[in-house]
Amino acid sequence: DWMRSPIIRTLSIVSFLGFAYLIAWEATHPTPLIDLRLFKIRSYTISVIFMAIVYAMYFGAVVLIPLWLQANMGYNAIWAGIAVAPLGVAPFLLSVFSGMLVTRFGAIRLLFVCFILFSLSCFYTAFFDTDVDIWHIWISRFLMGCGIIFFITPLFSLNVQDIATENLPSATGVFHFVRAMSGGIGTSIFDTLWIRRTSYHHERTGSALTQTSDMTNQFLSQLENLGITGKKALALLDVELVNQAAMLALNDCFYLMGWLFL
């Protein structure tokens, strides 16, 4: 319900008008800070679009896993960091060869490999359950890290390959501005999607947890054997329901990302 806030509505309108004025000014100014004519160059336009969309999804994938681990899986900050650490292993060891690969195979082929690896990582994560161990989390993060090797350098190479020398500062400036902005947008979108899908699955799954449900009564009976009854038992049942709903919501997010990368 962001748009229920008068502050957010006001800032949204001001931002839209400011952006529209910026585009109009830069399009007509003889020496623009952002040279919009560069977008007539096909390779440059494609690279900026790829960066905006793919980096938003990548950053969403990077942010969601540690959030889920700490909020629903009982990991502390240190162990959540350890669980996602393999994301940086492949880029740390192999990124030095990225430039050589671009020279030999070209940017487009490497980006193809990148998107396949990102897609595999997301589909792998989309089938996690609440019993998943740290090894499977490591594998999913390592796959995504391998994709990074074939992402930034090839995309930057595609970005500048048809740009004149005098236009390089403007071209690279826009490219990196889009990268920074799309990371924040991706985090907001996928975090919101995860929260809303968690609410959806909580409602859908919770509707089956009635007093006449055998599974519910079995769960409550097990708690009763431990001396936990009444509201405490129902609270524990809800905690388990929230964790399952969050897991299903995470699956949804990564399933969507997998298809978008593909």
Side-chain angles (χ1 to χ4, degrees), residues 119-130:
S119 181
L120 287 174
S121 172
C122 289
F123 283 132
Y124 188 84
T125 309
F127 290 93
F128 281 179
D129 58 34
T130 52

Side-chain angles (χ1 to χ4, degrees), residues 8-259:
I8 291 181
R9 286 202 301 269
T10 302
L11 292 176
S12 298
I13 293 171
V14 171
S15 297
F16 176 78
L17 293 176
F19 186 72
Y21 181 73
L22 172 70
I23 296 299
W25 178 273
E26 296 297 316
T28 57
H29 200 279
T31 55
L33 181 66
I34 302 172
D35 193 351
L36 299 178
R37 290 169 296 184
L38 293 176
F39 286 98
K40 294 179 180 178
I41 302 172
R42 183 168 173 264
S43 59
Y44 178 77
T45 303
I46 289 174
S47 70
V48 172
I49 292 172
F50 274 10
M51 175 55 75
I53 297 174
V54 175
Y55 201 75
M57 291 191 293
Y58 163 74
F59 226 79
V62 168
V63 168
L64 282 184
I65 292 294
L67 276 178
W68 163 67
L69 290 175
Q70 293 181 77
N72 301 103
M73 294 294 287
Y75 284 60
N76 59 28
I78 294 175
W79 275 103
I82 292 173
V84 300
L87 183 71
V89 172
F92 177 74
L93 296 177
L94 302 174
S95 60
V96 67
F97 301 108
S98 185
M100 298 165 54
L101 292 172
V102 171
T103 302
R104 182 167 182 177
F105 298 105
I108 297 298
R109 290 185 178 90
L110 296 187
L111 287 172
F112 175 82
V113 174
C114 162
F115 296 152
I116 292 297
L117 288 170
F118 279 172
S119 181
L120 287 174
S121 172
C122 289
F123 283 132
Y124 188 84
T125 309
F127 290 93
F128 281 179
D129 58 34
T130 52
D131 291 327
V132 66
D133 57 34
I134 197 170
W135 293 100
H136 288 87
I137 298 171
W138 278 344
I139 292 171
S140 73
R141 299 302 86 201
F142 181 74
L143 279 173
M144 182 155 281
C146 290
I148 293 294
I149 302 171
F150 307 101
F151 179 47
I152 296 294
T153 303
L155 199 58
F156 187 75
S157 174
L158 183 67
N159 178 258
V160 300
Q161 71 178 22
D162 297 319
I163 302 296
T165 304
E166 63 272 15
N167 292 328
L168 280 176
S170 179
T172 56
V174 172
F175 181 78
H176 290 297
F177 168 74
V178 169
R179 178 174 63 85
M181 184 176 65
S182 63
I185 292 173
T187 300
S188 300
I189 289 175
F190 284 102
D191 188 40
T192 301
L193 180 61
W194 180 49
I195 291 170
R196 293 188 176 185
R197 293 299 292 179
T198 298
S199 299
Y200 169 80
H201 286 295
H202 187 281
E203 189 276 330
R204 296 284 292 178
T205 308
S207 65
L209 301 181
T210 64
Q211 291 181 342
T212 59
S213 167
D214 291 337
M215 291 185 295
T216 304
N217 290 322
Q218 182 180 1
F219 183 84
L220 294 177
S221 295
Q222 291 174 349
L223 292 180
E224 188 175 358
N225 293 334
L226 299 173
I228 303 172
T229 59
K231 290 184 178 180
K232 289 184 178 180
L234 293 177
L236 287 176
L237 177 62
D238 186 62
V239 168
E240 185 61 30
L241 175 59
V242 169
N243 290 339
Q244 294 294 335
M247 182 77 266
L248 291 170
L250 191 81
N251 295 155
D252 291 346
C253 290
F254 277 91
Y255 193 70
L256 173 63
M257 281 186 247
W259 279 111

